[in-house]
Amino acid sequence: MMTEARAFAPGKLILTGEHAVVYGHRAVALAVNLGTTVSLQKRLGPSGIDSSDIQDARLWPALSTILPEEGIGVHITSTLPIGCGMGSSAALAVATVRAYARLKGEEADFNRCYTEAFKVERVFHGNPSGLDHSVSALGGVLVYRRSPTGPHISPLAPVALHLVVVDTGPPAQSTAEMVENVRIQGNHKVLSAIGKLSEEIIKGLNSPERLGPLLNQNHRLLCELGVSTPTLNKAVSTLRRAGALGAKLAGAGGGGVAIGLVRPGSRVAERMQAEGWKAMDIEVYKEYYDG
Ligand code: MEV
C-alpha cells in the first residue's frame, strides 16, 4: 500500500464562450503548460492542508468533498496565477482526484476525474458549467457544451495556437459572483451572439488571420455583457498594438487574464513586459489523458 502519491493537472484558457457556456452555448478551451501539483501523504490524525501555494478559505471545504476526514496530509504547489481565469481551482481539483486514486493504487479515468472534480468546483464556483475541469482533465483543445443530459465534449485535433497571456491581477469578484451578475442582467441577446460567434471561431481555429478579428468581436461582446474592466480593456488594446492578431479577456472577467493571438516567434510578450505588464507566451498542454 502506498503512503504517498502525487499528480499534476494543467490550467486552462477559454478561447471563446465564457459565460455563454453556462447557458448551453458551445465554448472552446485549451489546457496550458502551467498547472498544479498535489502531493498526498498518509498520516495519523485528521486530514488537512499541510502547505499550499493557494491561499483560499474554501480550500479544505472544497477538497474535503473528495478526501476522507482522517489520515491524509495535502501539499499543493502551483505555477498558475491563482483565481485569475486560468483554471487554478479546476487544476487543483483534477490533480487531487488523480493523486487520491494513485494513493489507493488506482488511476482515475476521465469520467472519475469529471465527476469527482465537479464536487470540488461546486464549492469554489457554485454552479459551474464543468468546462474548466473537463479541459484540465483531458488536456489539449476541446469544444464543450453543457446540456441537461450531461456534457458534450469534443477534443480537437492539435491546433497550432500561439497565445500571449497578460495577468491583470485577481478579480474583485469571484467567478460565482460574476456568473450571478450575468444571470441577474439576463442579456440573452449578447449571450446568443457569443454562442454564434463561437461557431465561427470553431470553423476558423486553423486560420490565425480569420481567428484574430473574431477574438476581437468576442471581447466587444464580453464588454457588452459587463464583465470587462478598464484594465482588461487596456491590456487588450495594448496586446493588439504590440502585434497580436486579436485579443480578448479570458475567463469570468472582472479582472484576471487577457489573451492575445500571436504569430509563432512573436515578440508580443516581450513588448508587453517592456510596458510594465505581466505577460508570457503560452503553449497548449497537449497530453490527452484517457486514464
Ligand atoms: C469560468 O472559467 C468560465 C465561466 O464560463 C463559468 C463556467 O463556465 O462555469 C465564466
Side-chain angles (χ1 to χ4, degrees):
M1 199 60 171
M2 255 176 274
T3 57
E4 205 175 317
R6 167 193 294 241
F8 169 84
K12 66 90 190 42
L13 285 168
I14 299 180
L15 196 65
T16 182
E18 47 272 272
H19 289 291
V21 70
V22 175
Y23 299 88
H25 299 287
R26 295 211 291 174
V28 180
L30 51 114
V32 299
N33 59 334
L34 302 174
T36 300
T37 301
V38 171
S39 305
L40 302 179
Q41 262 160 356
K42 285 198 177 164
R43 66 171 188 205
L44 295 173
S47 298
I49 316 273
D50 289 340
S51 68
S52 174
D53 286 354
I54 304 176
Q55 303 306 325
D56 188 316
R58 298 165 298 179
L59 213 53
W60 181 247
L63 293 189
S64 67
T65 60
I66 57 169
L67 294 176
E69 274 174 32
E70 294 281 324
I72 291 183
V74 185
H75 298 264
I76 302 162
T77 54
S78 189
T79 50
L80 286 164
I82 307 302
C84 288
M86 290 190 71
S88 53
S89 67
L92 168 72
V94 173
T96 306
V97 174
R98 284 183 184 157
Y100 187 43
R102 282 179 192 164
L103 196 66
K104 294 193 280 187
E106 301 160 6
E107 280 294 322
D109 63 7
F110 175 74
N111 286 338
R112 182 158 162 192
C113 282
Y114 183 84
T115 311
E116 292 292 291
F118 222 147
K119 296 178 188 166
V120 177
E121 280 286 86
R122 284 197 183 100
V123 176
F124 281 110
H125 304 309
N127 180 25
S129 64
L131 168 66
D132 294 9
H133 71 274
S134 295
V135 71
S136 178
L138 276 175
V141 185
L142 57 79
V143 178
Y144 184 93
R145 185 165 73 80
R146 176 187 218 179
S147 92
T149 53
H152 296 260
I153 303 171
S154 319
L156 297 177
V159 183
L161 283 170
H162 299 275
L163 298 173
V164 168
V165 67
V166 176
D167 179 7
T168 73
Q173 288 186 297
S174 68
T175 295
E177 286 167 328
M178 293 304 292
V179 169
E180 181 60 7
N181 295 343
V182 170
R183 190 191 67 75
I184 291 167
Q185 205 190 24
N187 198 339
H188 289 279
K189 207 170 137 219
V190 172
L191 290 164
S192 298
I194 293 175
K196 236 170 123 188
L197 186 64
S198 293
E199 298 305 320
E200 291 301 307
I201 288 178
I202 291 165
K203 286 185 216 146
L205 274 178
N206 283 308
S207 161
E209 279 70 26
R210 197 165 153 198
L211 195 52
L214 295 174
L215 296 184
N216 290 339
Q217 272 183 48
N218 197 161
H219 185 71
R220 274 196 293 278
L221 289 169
L222 288 164
C223 289
E224 274 187 57
L225 206 56
V227 299
S228 192
T229 64
T231 313
L232 277 169
N233 293 342
K234 191 144 185 247
V236 162
S237 56
T238 315
L239 273 164
R240 290 177 195 147
R241 207 162 22 82
L245 301 167
K248 65 181 278 284
L249 73 87
V257 297
I259 53 172
L261 178 73
V262 299
R263 294 187 196 282
S266 92
R267 303 184 63 188
V268 172
E270 252 172 75
R271 290 185 198 123
M272 294 299 288
Q273 287 160 4
E275 292 201 30
W277 295 91
K278 254 199 214 166
M280 63 185 148
D281 286 295
I282 283 289
E283 278 171 40
V284 179
Y285 178 81
K286 292 203 186 70
E287 184 178 323
Y288 179 84
Y289 187 83
D290 63 5

